[in-house]
Amino acid sequence: MSGADARNEAVWTHHAYEHEQREVPHQVNEDNPHRLMVTSLTGVTKVMDLGCGSALWRHVFDGYDYHGVDQNEKMIEVARSRFPEDKFTVCNGRHLSFSDSSFDLVFTAAVLQHNTHPDKSIVAQEIYRVLRPGGYYLCSENTFREDNYRIQFGQSVPYSDDLADDYSFTPVGWEKFMSQFGFRKVWYKYPSEYLYIKE
């Protein structure tokens, strides 16, 4: 993970300065896959962008009641400077400062994958808690794929869908992991796009 563990705050502060200088929010057209997915969901008005960083994905949620959340104060500072009309909160995904059933949809992009499995479990439970019943969790999270596995370990080593490294799962592994917290997978697109619903 090159030091990019979620608990390594110095890494994320450094990234925030990089984002402030070089990274700009994505310009999302109406045919963007994430935008199409969000707009296809019924009953979604209030959205949490968990681990929003400098709000690179903000435009996916144009027209929605958007709440950006990140543990890093510098990331939130940059996000607020770009989108002063939006709501941004500094808090950690392991302890979200929102009431139960507060959101219709939670979105993450490369957030869970930066947590070790014990922390990932806590974050998944928090996502479940803040979603309303029938709410959605849309994510783009690293998938421990067979092609990467073969590059690392060679062709002769057995590959299983249950494999996991310290941070990521295979697609089947992600589904099993999320199901233990009450999520059902409703959509997957190779290699790393997932949509779950809170049962």
Side-chain angles (χ1 to χ4, degrees):
M1 293 305 298
S2 305
D5 189 284
R7 290 180 181 258
N8 191 338
E9 200 65 26
V11 167
W12 301 112
T13 299
H14 176 73
H15 282 326
Y17 283 106
E18 290 179 329
H19 283 205
E20 186 176 39
Q21 295 168 17
R22 296 197 308 268
E23 297 285 337
V24 296
H26 305 307
Q27 296 300 311
V28 177
N29 299 322
E30 288 302 315
D31 62 350
N32 173 274
H34 291 93
R35 177 73 179 169
L36 288 172
M37 177 56 69
V38 171
T39 57
S40 75
L41 301 174
T42 58
V44 173
T45 57
K46 191 174 180 182
V47 173
M48 176 195 290
D49 182 358
L50 176 58
C52 68
S54 58
L56 295 178
W57 295 87
R58 169 64 186 88
H59 293 300
V60 168
F61 307 104
D62 282 349
Y64 292 86
D65 183 5
Y66 175 87
H67 297 251
V69 175
D70 201 279
Q71 68 180 4
N72 187 273
E73 290 185 18
K74 181 61 181 177
M75 286 287 196
I76 292 295
E77 177 187 318
V78 175
R80 283 180 177 144
S81 71
R82 291 173 169 171
F83 300 99
E85 72 283 2
D86 284 322
K87 306 173 195 79
F88 292 97
T89 303
V90 177
C91 70
N92 190 285
R94 298 188 306 274
H95 310 285
L96 293 172
S97 56
F98 298 92
S99 302
D100 296 358
S101 304
S102 295
F103 294 92
D104 303 310
L105 182 144
V106 173
F107 172 75
T108 63
V111 173
L112 285 183
Q113 69 191 50
H114 290 299
N115 287 270
T116 58
H117 292 325
D119 280 353
K120 191 185 279 94
S121 296
I122 297 169
V123 175
Q125 290 174 70
E126 280 291 274
I127 292 171
Y128 185 89
R129 181 183 66 78
V130 300
L131 276 174
R132 63 162 171 81
Y136 298 97
Y137 173 45
L138 175 64
C139 62
S140 179
E141 297 290 345
N142 188 50
T143 298
F144 194 47
R145 306 192 316 257
E146 185 169 3
D147 52 354
N148 290 342
Y149 180 82
R150 294 297 177 203
I151 290 168
Q152 186 172 356
F153 298 107
Q155 295 297 319
S156 62
V157 180
Y159 177 84
S160 163
D161 280 328
D162 291 321
L163 285 171
D165 61 10
D166 288 338
Y167 293 87
S168 301
F169 299 104
T170 65
V172 170
W174 275 113
E175 185 174 355
K176 289 180 179 178
F177 173 77
M178 295 303 295
S179 69
Q180 68 185 314
F181 303 108
F183 288 100
R184 176 173 55 85
K185 185 187 77 178
V186 293
W187 176 81
Y188 164 68
K189 181 180 179 183
Y190 181 87
S192 57
E193 310 298 321
Y194 299 85
L195 178 69
Y196 298 92
I197 191 168
K198 176 178 176 175
E199 298 273 54

